[in-house]
Amino acid sequence: MPVFSYLATPKRGAKTTLCVDLAALPYCEVIPADNQDLVVLITDTPDETKEKELQKRLKSVQSLQSLSLTFGYDDHEQPGR
Amino acid sequence: MTTTNNQGDNEVTMKLNRRRFIRHAATSSAIATAGALFPGISFGSWPQLANNSGLVSWQKAPCRFCGTGCGVLIGVSDGRAVAVKGDPNCSVNKGLCCMKGYHSVQALYGKDRLTTAQVRKNGTLVEVPIQEALDLIADKLKTTRELHGKDSVAIYGSGQWTIPDGYVASKLFKGCLGTNNVEANARLCMASAVTGFMTSFGLDEPMGCYEDMDHANIFVTWGNNMAEMHPVLFSRMLANRKRRTNVRIIDFATRSTRTSQAADKSILFKPQTDLAVANAICYEIINRDWVNWDFVNQHVSFHRGKTDIGYGTEDHFAFKDQAEAISFEEYSRFLEDYTPEKVEKISGVAAKDIKYLAALYGDPALKVTSFWCMGMNQHTRGTWINNLVYNIHLLTGKISTPGNSPFSLTGQPSACGTVREVGTLTHKLPHGVVMNQHHREMAAGIWDVPLSNIDPKPSYHTVEMFRALDRGDIKFIWIQVTNPMVTMPNLRRYRDGGLKGDRFVVVSDVYPTPTTDIADVILPAAMWVEQEGMFGNSERRTQHFAQIVDPPGEAMSDTWQIIEVARRLGFEQQFPWSKEDYIEKIWEEYRRFHAGPKHEMAPYSVLRERSGVQWPYVNGRETRWRFNPKYDPACSNGKDFDFYGKKDNRAWIWARPYEPAAESPDNTYNFWLNTGRVIEHWHTGSMTRRIPVLHNAVPAAYVELHPEDAAELGVVNGEMVKIISRRGEVTMPAQIQGRGVPVRGMVFVPFFDESYLINELTLDAFCPISKQPDYKKCAVRLEKA
Ligand code: SF4
């Protein structure tokens, strides 16, 4: 059950499109900044396979300039004993 | 059925709550980062936040993941720590953090966090109320002492203990229980630095500060991979090189690392031969007449000690050095064995490179800062190599002025604050040593215990403490904030010792570890900002942090655990404080030990306000450079320097020879084994491996090989290699041309991964003066697995 958060930077002038594009993807929540060209993206996928699929789709979002990871969590990847 | 359904419902609810929390933390973290990057940024559509620009509150703390002591601001939302940013008001890091710092709060919330006490009953650990566990600990301590004597009980702590943790441990064990069986894991990382300072200057801890980096022209990193171990300081060094035209970095090491890659010059030497190279640099400085005679004549005296001093691999090993004054001429004659040409043969370092280093140190126009950490300290001649680097700075007078600094860095956040300053080592007291009558009197007075309680004889240093546990001389040990069942060298002996039938092992920790595996009692501990406390970093900076979030379940600060046990043993008078203000009261009591211009500590009210305060703190002023009257209020001799730590008011240059390592490669065990860390993980990984981003970055340990050795062995990246020493073996994946590349004939293994206990292979040889083990050198052979 991976949860990640990112700062997503839109291509020039494409912030609204980026919000629409990202919100259309499954397992994604989008929080746009009011006063900057920046979008917070939260992804919450049920398993590793879905996470990989989502990663692939994120890479093909045209309005996206860059994504930078700010938080990552995956229950299954924690080596708790 | 109903019960089962309820349990199921509860589990689902808990999972949902946890999921919601994680999403909330993820969002808060992103918004906090955005806030740090774009001040004033607003996210109107996320109503959960009390204000739009980030989080409910930010509070200061020092980072707990290395000895640099970066100031961080911790963002708290709904009682949870959700984000971290660098504290721009902290002069250490000026707003910067490394990856461990940025992700540090996630270490608080791993899924297997210890939240209840556990007691071993019929071989199985069962959960009990913490008060019951504390009763049992007090009872065991009492009966063990009655049956086996005062020195049958011990406490083993940490450079990650807060200052109050270490203080109450010392007060209880040394002051009340009358045993000097108090040690801390900083013995394994800093002891040689301490004995280096004490033998060269008579006082512990660096004379300089991080500001040296803004003045130095030359940085020499002595066996110190700062790019990974002190990344924020390394960035500051790189920033200086970029900003100023005349800055160079020289990496002097036994293995190529990220530090070597970023350096202007990388010089590799054969393990242990740094001793010979340091002497050769001094030879060259004298031979070329680069000695700063004004400085040497006024401020330096020359000495030699014993030689052929052994390695401590046998139980009850004892050694006492003896200083003998010598003349400059005698010192100079001693160095004749260390001409650059002779040393080239021993060390593998080209004579021209030795001369190059000597020329940098010897050029009066260049300011030179030397940095070191584990490479020089985890060394069977650790005290000597510390002395020898000081020799270079003393011959050239490059010391105690901005940019001229021999700088011993610490690994742990409070190795200095808690272990060195509080004195949580067998021979130490908060002020001075147990052997000194005046120091014992001071301690007895402040602690309100009879003078006779404090034993004038040190007992066991760390390796010997675990040997005593194995032998049965120690029957009870309480381990706090450290994981010796991963970190002790020659590990198997000490784990078997701890498991012996009549040993009683108490472990206070935040996650299950191989050390909690051998425990009879586990106490859940509050971690970092779940309690109030102080750390002391590498540059004499004391850093206070408030309790910012609540500890989970019944977890309790290590300080309070000790207080609870002390009171059960009848020491209410010595431990009278209330939960509301015990940290303040402990600090103000402890501070009395350091009164005076040489070590005055800031009052509690000042520490609370600032992102760290450097001692000596006198008349409201911090001291950046010691022994220099322009900065240091303790100087009183009217000269331009005052090395007041030694009775002769001089710094001591030592004639210390090159002697080989305790175990070197031979025909059977033909490789050196070197161990250490990686940037992503803190020590044994018990916390950082529970931070997904860090864990994913380096999920498992590996063995670094030189590409030609790998080819000869027939292994490629990722293939399994069996590493065998005289003490044990481990099989792990190979890493070739990774972030670090050892020289031919050496392998390197990071120790953060408990699945590969590399310390089952290492040797428990130590520096006879500091008693610090050497984790960098033993002999192994390799097989393709
Ligand atoms: S350099 Fe050390 S103190 Fe600074 S953020 Fe990184 S781990 Fe923390």
Side-chain angles (χ1 to χ4, degrees):
Chain A
M1 302 206 303
V3 178
F4 293 101
S5 66
Y6 306 87
L7 296 182
T9 315
K11 288 203 174 132
R12 191 184 286 267
K15 184 171 148 199
T16 314
T17 322
L18 177 65
C19 289
V20 173
D21 289 349
L22 292 177
L25 296 176
Y27 316 114
C28 285
E29 184 187 345
V30 174
I31 308 169
D34 308 332
N35 52 358
Q36 291 280 350
D37 273 351
L38 196 75
V39 173
V40 163
L41 169 68
I42 319 295
T43 66
D44 183 354
T45 50
D47 55 45
E48 204 58 28
T49 321
K50 293 274 186 288
E51 178 63 31
K52 280 194 182 135
E53 280 170 17
L54 177 61
Q55 292 286 343
K56 212 183 265 170
R57 293 180 71 173
L58 279 172
K59 280 195 188 118
S60 60
V61 173
Q62 290 296 320
S63 51
L64 181 65
Q65 172 82 37
S66 70
L67 263 188
S68 72
L69 182 71
T70 53
F71 180 99
Y73 181 86
D74 186 347
D75 254 343
H76 295 295
E77 290 183 3
Q78 274 211 320
R81 310 158 85 225
Chain B
M1 281 300 283
T2 315
T3 313
T4 313
N5 276 345
N6 276 345
Q7 273 179 349
D9 288 351
N10 282 344
E11 266 172 34
V12 170
T13 313
M14 273 173 65
K15 271 189 183 154
L16 279 175
N17 282 342
R18 183 169 170 75
R19 195 98 201 121
R20 205 170 298 135
F21 161 67
I22 292 163
R23 280 181 68 112
H24 188 78
T27 314
S28 303
S29 180
I31 288 177
T33 310
L37 292 171
F38 304 99
I41 194 169
S42 148
F43 292 87
S45 60
W46 205 50
Q48 285 96 324
L49 295 176
N51 64 48
N52 268 340
S53 60
L55 299 148
V56 173
S57 67
W58 290 96
Q59 286 193 58
K60 76 170 174 73
C63 173
R64 59 119 37 248
F65 283 136
C66 89
T68 301
C70 294
V72 295
L73 294 172
I74 295 180
V76 180
S77 176
D78 284 347
R80 300 275 190 161
V82 292
V84 176
K85 59 183 179 183
D87 181 354
N89 293 323
C90 183
S91 67
V92 171
N93 53 320
K94 301 176 181 168
L96 200 67
C97 281
C98 79
M99 58 167 73
K100 285 196 295 296
Y102 282 123
H103 294 99
S104 52
V105 292
Q106 290 181 47
L108 300 169
Y109 303 116
K111 66 179 178 186
D112 56 347
R113 184 72 197 269
L114 294 170
T115 57
T116 49
Q118 296 172 50
V119 168
R120 196 172 294 278
K121 293 183 178 169
N122 300 321
T124 309
L125 285 165
V126 292
E127 293 190 351
V128 297
I130 195 164
Q131 296 303 327
E132 186 185 320
L134 292 163
D135 287 344
L136 176 64
I137 294 166
D139 185 54
K140 274 283 172 188
L141 251 173
K142 191 164 170 282
T143 51
T144 308
R145 287 180 81 236
E146 283 164 6
L147 279 172
H148 304 286
K150 67 182 180 62
D151 286 333
S152 63
V153 301
I155 190 158
Y156 181 62
S158 170
Q160 296 155 70
W161 253 346
T162 66
I163 290 173
D165 292 341
Y167 182 74
V168 294
S170 183
K171 184 174 182 178
L172 174 61
F173 278 75
K174 294 194 176 212
C176 300
L177 300 176
T179 178
N180 287 324
N181 286 349
V182 177
E183 277 280 300
N185 64 1
R187 175 76 74 179
L188 311 178
C189 69
M190 292 315 308
S192 300
V194 178
T195 47
F197 276 116
M198 295 305 292
T199 47
S200 290
F201 303 99
L203 282 174
D204 189 20
E205 298 204 33
M207 50 289 300
C209 59
Y210 296 155
E211 213 180 302
D212 282 313
M213 280 183 280
D214 305 332
H215 301 276
N217 309 108
I218 304 296
F219 296 96
V220 185
T221 51
W222 287 74
N224 184 198
N225 181 10
M226 281 179 77
E228 292 204 72
M229 304 318 144
H230 297 87
V232 165
L233 298 181
F234 194 68
S235 304
R236 187 160 165 182
M237 219 154 82
L238 296 182
N240 264 289
R241 186 175 64 180
K242 199 164 174 199
R243 203 172 50 240
R244 299 187 277 131
T245 50
N246 54 348
V247 174
R248 267 173 289 168
I249 300 169
I250 320 297
D251 184 48
F252 182 63
T254 60
R255 146 182 179 260
S256 284
T257 64
R258 286 182 177 174
T259 305
S260 329
Q261 285 153 25
D264 297 277
K265 186 172 175 68
S266 154
I267 300 173
L268 293 169
F269 64 94
K270 290 183 188 160
Q272 192 85 355
T273 65
D274 44 359
L275 296 159
V277 175
N279 275 332
I281 293 170
C282 289
Y283 172 89
E284 185 70 5
I285 286 168
I286 292 172
N287 198 36
R288 297 275 185 157
D289 203 14
W290 291 330
V291 175
N292 180 339
W293 287 111
D294 281 350
F295 181 89
V296 168
N297 287 335
Q298 286 199 61
H299 303 297
V300 170
S301 56
F302 294 86
H303 299 264
R304 72 172 150 233
K306 290 185 181 169
T307 57
D308 197 10
I309 62 178
Y311 299 98
T313 45
E314 62 276 16
D315 283 33
H316 304 295
F317 173 87
F319 173 79
K320 198 168 175 357
D321 202 12
Q322 211 169 6
E324 186 191 333
I326 57 172
S327 64
F328 172 77
E329 288 67 32
E330 285 172 287
Y331 172 66
S332 204
R333 267 202 303 281
F334 156 82
L335 289 177
E336 280 165 16
D337 284 342
Y338 299 95
T339 65
E341 289 71 22
K342 284 181 191 166
V343 169
E344 174 173 334
K345 294 198 180 81
I346 307 171
S347 65
V349 180
K352 70 171 179 20
D353 284 339
I354 295 173
K355 291 177 184 178
Y356 171 74
L357 282 168
L360 295 175
Y361 280 106
D363 183 344
L366 296 175
K367 293 177 179 167
V368 187
T369 289
S370 304
F371 280 119
W372 67 91
C373 198
M374 292 310 120
M376 274 175 42
N377 295 337
Q378 293 179 334
H379 194 308
T380 50
R381 296 293 178 264
T383 308
W384 289 8
I385 184 62
N386 274 263
N387 293 147
L388 296 184
V389 175
Y390 294 131
N391 288 357
I392 303 171
H393 283 266
L394 290 170
L395 279 177
T396 52
K398 293 191 176 179
I399 194 163
S400 292
T401 48
N404 283 319
S405 211
F407 207 119
S408 154
L409 294 166
T410 38
Q412 302 189 77
S414 202
C416 285
T418 304
V419 182
R420 294 162 70 165
E421 292 160 27
V422 176
T424 51
L425 296 168
T426 183
H427 64 293
K428 283 277 293 156
L429 287 167
H431 178 91
V433 290
V434 295
M435 299 81 88
N436 182 302
Q437 165 92 4
H438 298 300
H439 299 163
R440 289 199 306 280
E441 280 167 1
M442 179 195 249
I446 294 175
W447 284 344
D448 189 18
V449 296
L451 178 61
S452 57
N453 269 23
I454 304 174
D455 194 326
K457 228 175 136 243
S459 54
Y460 306 115
H461 57 85
T462 294
V463 169
E464 197 56 31
M465 180 180 269
F466 281 90
R467 286 176 182 168
L469 183 69
D470 177 42
R471 292 193 301 265
D473 299 337
I474 289 175
K475 303 276 190 203
F476 172 106
I477 190 166
W478 187 351
I479 298 165
Q480 289 194 322
V481 211
T482 186
N483 191 4
M485 293 305 120
V486 176
T487 55
M488 286 302 292
N490 193 10
L491 177 59
R492 197 174 293 172
R493 173 178 179 193
Y494 302 117
R495 188 177 53 237
D496 291 349
L499 283 168
K500 282 183 179 163
D502 62 344
R503 313 296 191 269
F504 196 82
V505 179
V506 179
V507 181
S508 306
D509 212 333
V510 296
Y511 286 109
T513 66
T515 306
T516 61
D517 287 348
I518 69 156
D520 296 285
V521 177
I522 300 174
L523 291 178
M527 178 181 162
W528 188 30
V529 293
E530 293 167 349
Q531 64 195 323
E532 184 182 2
M534 298 92 177
F535 289 151
N537 81 347
S538 292
E539 55 159 4
R540 295 175 280 106
R541 180 178 297 277
T542 315
Q543 299 165 295
H544 171 271
F545 50 101
Q547 182 183 334
I548 295 177
V549 290
D550 289 333
E554 288 204 286
M556 180 186 278
S557 75
D558 296 271
T559 305
W560 197 258
Q561 291 173 9
I562 292 172
I563 292 171
E564 287 272 352
V565 169
R567 288 179 180 172
R568 281 165 168 80
L569 293 168
F571 300 112
E572 292 89 350
Q573 196 181 318
Q574 286 78 18
F575 297 86
W577 312 295
S578 77
K579 265 194 171 162
E580 283 62 51
D581 61 0
Y582 69 111
I583 297 298
E584 177 180 0
K585 291 283 182 327
I586 289 169
W587 176 259
E588 290 302 337
E589 180 181 304
Y590 162 60
R591 207 161 75 85
R592 291 168 60 196
F593 280 96
H594 293 310
K598 293 180 186 169
H599 200 140
E600 186 81 39
M601 311 292 277
Y604 176 81
S605 53
V606 173
L607 288 182
R608 271 197 78 93
E609 290 307 309
R610 302 195 193 169
S611 289
V613 180
Q614 278 181 294
W615 61 263
Y617 178 79
V618 181
N619 300 326
R621 279 187 61 198
E622 302 177 42
T623 303
R624 286 177 298 165
W625 287 276
R626 285 202 292 172
F627 309 133
N628 181 332
K630 283 191 201 136
Y631 308 94
D632 183 348
C635 294
S636 62
N637 65 355
K639 298 182 180 175
D640 48 0
F641 294 94
D642 184 355
F643 292 98
Y644 49 76
K646 287 284 193 188
K647 284 206 177 99
D648 64 359
N649 263 50
R650 286 166 181 260
W652 287 18
I653 281 183
W654 285 87
R656 304 285 204 190
Y658 160 72
E659 287 182 2
E663 188 180 74
S664 303
D666 55 21
N667 287 340
T668 318
Y669 296 93
N670 54 344
F671 276 79
W672 288 104
L673 168 65
N674 178 5
T675 67
R677 299 204 292 118
V678 293
I679 187 173
E680 291 82 358
H681 290 295
W682 172 245
H683 273 193
T684 62
S686 57
M687 290 171 278
T688 45
R689 295 188 78 218
R690 286 164 171 94
I691 299 173
V693 172
L694 301 179
H695 173 58
N696 290 339
V698 188
Y702 48 80
V703 51
E704 282 177 3
L705 292 131
H706 188 276
E708 288 169 27
D709 287 329
E712 258 175 34
L713 200 63
V715 294
V716 296
N717 240 335
E719 280 191 322
M720 300 302 274
V721 176
K722 188 191 271 190
I723 315 167
I724 306 153
S725 82
R726 290 181 176 87
R727 294 153 293 279
E729 59 184 55
V730 64
T731 301
M732 60 201 313
Q735 192 182 81
I736 301 150
Q737 300 284 35
R739 67 178 68 181
V741 182
V743 290
R744 283 213 73 176
M746 177 196 281
V747 293
F748 172 85
V749 177
F751 69 91
F752 70 84
D753 186 350
E754 65 179 56
S755 317
Y756 302 108
L757 290 172
I758 192 63
N759 279 314
E760 292 195 347
L761 279 66
T762 50
L763 178 65
D764 50 354
F766 51 77
C767 167
I769 302 173
S770 70
K771 323 290 192 259
Q772 177 170 348
D774 188 332
Y775 290 89
K776 306 291 184 188
K777 299 169 216 94
C778 73
V780 296
R781 65 187 159 86
L782 309 179
E783 287 174 8
K784 186 176 176 176

